[in-house]
Amino acid sequence: MARKCCFSGKGPMVGNHVSHANNKSKRRLLPNLRKIKIKLEDGTIVRIRVAASTLRTMRKKS
């Protein structure tokens, strides 16, 4: 399963670990995904992965 938010499409980013001596090595910055359950119109419950920032926005708007 992909590490991607269902609503916002946020996914992993690539950056650098930077040491005190300014040595750089690659790292991955993963989104803060949460599994939530939502109820569809037909009454079925689906579990989806949503980023925490998107979840805060969803709760703010509802």
Side-chain angles (χ1 to χ4, degrees):
M1 186 178 249
R3 289 187 174 121
K4 190 168 266 205
C5 177
C6 292
F7 292 119
S8 64
K10 285 186 180 188
M13 296 190 308
V14 178
N16 285 319
H17 283 290
V18 181
S19 69
H20 184 67
N22 206 23
N23 298 328
K24 296 174 181 73
S25 60
K26 287 293 186 180
R27 64 172 289 195
R28 289 182 81 197
L29 300 158
L30 299 176
N32 185 11
L33 294 179
R34 304 287 174 201
K35 290 181 183 173
I36 63 166
K37 295 177 188 174
I38 59 169
K39 188 181 258 189
L40 301 177
E41 290 86 17
D42 59 352
T44 59
I45 295 174
V46 179
R47 180 174 280 175
I48 58 172
R49 296 172 107 184
V50 178
S53 57
T54 307
L55 195 56
R56 279 198 309 271
T57 305
M58 289 168 49
R59 289 189 176 148
K60 183 177 176 182
K61 293 188 177 185
S62 65

